[in-house]
Amino acid sequence: MIRVDRGPKPEGLEAIRKVEVKRLAALAREAPPKAKDFGNRYNITRRDLWKAQGRTCCYCERRIDRLYNDVEHFRPKTRAYRGQGRPMHGYWWLAWTWANLLFACPSCNRRHKKNKFPLARGSRILPAGHRPPGPERAILIDPSGEDDPIEHIQFVPFRQAGKKEKWIPVARGGSRRGKRTIQVLKLDRPALVTDYGDHVSDLVSHHVKAIREAIHAGDGRIVAKAWRSALRTLFYRRQAFKALSHDVLDHHFPPEVRRQWGLELERP
Ligand SMILES: [Zn+2]
């Protein structure tokens, strides 16, 4: 997972938000709004989000080549599973709020995250109508939030005898939020682990090899060129799995090696 910068709010969204929040507020006075009450006017943001995210899922970073999915609400709109014993009303007033909208793949959105929104122990719940985070301490990492997801989630290599090397996401430095985010979104699901492995063997490993050979030859200019070429390809806007590529480079060329050759590993 990497940071998402949504860019400017799409034209027309604010007008829709005002009308829809007023409509839902009237319904919410009677009973918590149901899924069918929301309509889908937030979908006008779909294309902007898809483009802003380089056509990748905001959580797993898989490529999404077609605009077939719904918009993802970071704070779920209808119901929110916050952890045992807590109220389960959703964040209906944030269903059209630009800062709450993301674009996710069907697997992350519909199969794994769904309505889950765990809160830290002792956290209060954001009161209706309020702007997040307020008093609320969310556990899930918001890719568009203040924290860089790379600070919480780290990809590490894992090899079983006789098998292809795998890369799996773990909590960086024991981050609790990283751990829960991996669990809730199932970022270590088998299909993704296969995709991570293919990404490393089909793309990243060629760059690692070229940089290694340049270092072995001892020519700083060639090392710098191979490094720049790696970053240009692996961190290209529409490239999948940039956090993984970052950690593979960091693993093979740790800070002391980068310092020695004057190489900068930027955050994607
Ligand atoms: Zn995904």
Side-chain angles (χ1 to χ4, degrees):
M1 192 190 295
I2 56 166
R3 287 192 110 138
V4 165
D5 177 5
R6 292 183 187 81
K9 195 191 292 186
E11 218 172 293
L13 180 64
E14 189 53 25
I16 291 174
R17 191 189 71 81
K18 281 187 178 152
V19 171
E20 296 290 69
V21 167
K22 204 170 160 193
R23 184 174 65 81
L24 267 280
L27 291 176
R29 275 196 284 275
E30 308 294 325
K34 296 190 173 62
K36 66 175 173 51
D37 296 326
F38 286 86
N40 60 2
R41 294 181 76 192
Y42 43 73
N43 274 342
I44 69 151
T45 60
R46 226 158 42 145
R47 182 168 292 275
D48 294 79
L49 291 167
W50 182 58
K51 278 162 83 179
Q53 292 174 202
R55 304 184 177 189
T56 60
C57 171
C58 62
Y59 297 128
C60 73
E61 288 191 78
R62 265 188 348 175
R63 280 292 300 266
I64 304 176
D65 286 319
R66 286 183 305 124
L67 261 177
Y68 53 78
N69 201 18
D70 302 328
V71 161
E72 147 76 4
H73 292 83
F74 181 66
R75 281 180 165 75
K77 62 187 187 302
T78 314
R79 287 171 80 68
Y81 296 93
R82 299 178 172 89
Q84 272 193 334
R86 291 174 185 268
M88 294 209 286
H89 63 271
Y91 301 83
W92 54 265
W93 64 100
L94 300 175
W96 303 270
T97 296
W98 187 225
N100 192 45
L101 304 179
L102 292 162
F103 197 72
C105 73
S107 188
C108 286
N109 182 1
R110 294 180 200 172
R111 289 194 51 205
H112 298 293
K113 178 161 174 287
K114 297 195 276 194
N115 293 333
K116 298 181 196 115
F117 198 70
L119 297 181
R121 199 175 299 169
S123 167
R124 286 163 59 200
I125 296 174
L126 183 69
H130 284 228
R131 190 201 291 239
E136 199 171 63
R137 285 185 291 131
I139 291 176
L140 288 185
I141 297 159
D142 177 357
S144 68
E146 281 177 10
D147 289 329
D148 187 336
I150 289 182
E151 304 273 352
H152 295 273
I153 298 174
Q154 177 181 14
F155 285 88
V156 296
F158 173 79
R159 192 191 282 277
Q160 281 173 302
K163 292 208 174 149
K164 189 176 152 183
E165 183 184 62
K166 288 180 179 177
W167 285 79
I168 49 168
V170 299
R172 191 183 296 272
S175 161
R176 269 180 58 82
R177 296 183 61 206
K179 187 177 171 193
R180 287 296 298 278
T181 300
I182 293 166
Q183 279 171 352
V184 168
L185 295 168
K186 266 270 177 215
L187 293 176
D188 54 0
R189 55 194 186 253
L192 273 178
V193 172
T194 300
D195 289 348
Y196 299 151
D198 291 346
H199 177 75
V200 174
S201 62
D202 296 349
L203 184 67
V204 189
S205 64
H206 299 289
H207 289 282
V208 168
K209 189 162 169 259
I211 298 162
R212 259 218 198 107
E213 283 171 0
I215 287 177
H216 192 68
D219 186 331
R221 273 189 11 218
I222 301 175
V223 174
K225 200 175 157 199
W227 185 258
R228 276 199 306 274
S229 163
L231 296 192
R232 205 166 40 235
T233 307
L234 302 175
F235 294 169
Y236 167 63
R237 269 183 53 70
R238 291 189 194 166
Q239 191 59 261
F241 306 130
K242 291 196 270 285
L244 167 63
S245 298
H246 173 278
D247 289 345
V248 176
L249 290 177
D250 190 36
H251 171 79
H252 288 289
F253 310 104
E256 61 274 17
V257 174
R258 302 203 296 272
R259 249 193 315 276
Q260 191 186 340
W261 293 95
L263 307 171
E264 203 76 54
L265 180 56
E266 63 202 56
R267 288 283 172 86

